[in-house]
Amino acid sequence: MRKIIVLSFITLDGVMQAPGGPEEDPTDDFKYGGWSAPYGDEVGGKVVQKELAQTADYLLGRKTFDIWASFWPEHADIWPGINDGTKYVMSKTMKKSDWKNSV
């Protein structure tokens, strides 16, 4: 059995939506996309760099998968291992993806 390790961006009041940017996920009129950027620091940066450097597989929800699949295949220079790791997508409706190693 393998471990599942979670790296999540979450506010103290439980918001996990759209940490990356204003247009990332406007579901339900969410207007605060990019909320985590102003709070980045050296410690958080080291955690993210460690995550980007390791070889891993990824367990993703459908929305996150769609966001990642539209960005990461063309940006392997930022996150070299993301395209090689297997992306397991939790979805009842998605049948296939063109993104390499997606299940």
Side-chain angles (χ1 to χ4, degrees), residues 58-62 65 87-91 94 97 102-103:
Y58 304 90
L59 178 62
L60 305 167
R62 175 65 185 270
F65 178 85
K87 279 72 68 181
Y88 295 96
V89 187
M90 302 293 107
S91 173
M94 190 174 123
S97 172
S102 297
V103 178

Side-chain angles (χ1 to χ4, degrees), residues 10-81:
I10 185 169
T11 64
L12 292 174
D13 60 351
V15 175
M16 294 177 70
Q17 185 172 350
E23 305 302 320
E24 183 178 36
D25 181 5
T27 302
D28 295 327
D29 296 320
F30 187 71
K31 297 174 179 67
Y32 305 103
W35 59 266
S36 68
Y39 304 104
D41 62 10
E42 186 177 332
V43 173
K46 286 180 181 179
V47 170
V48 170
Q49 288 301 315
K50 182 178 177 183
E51 174 70 18
L52 298 180
Q54 65 184 336
T55 301
D57 294 329
Y58 304 90
L59 178 62
L60 305 167
R62 175 65 185 270
K63 283 185 183 182
T64 300
F65 178 85
D66 288 343
I67 292 166
W68 284 24
S70 69
F71 183 81
W72 288 116
E74 304 301 321
H75 295 87
D77 56 319
I78 300 170
W79 190 353

Side-chain angles (χ1 to χ4, degrees), residues 82-95:
I82 188 60
N83 292 316
D84 294 329
T86 302
K87 279 72 68 181
Y88 295 96
V89 187
M90 302 293 107
S91 173
K92 292 180 181 181
T93 58
M94 190 174 123
K95 303 299 181 201

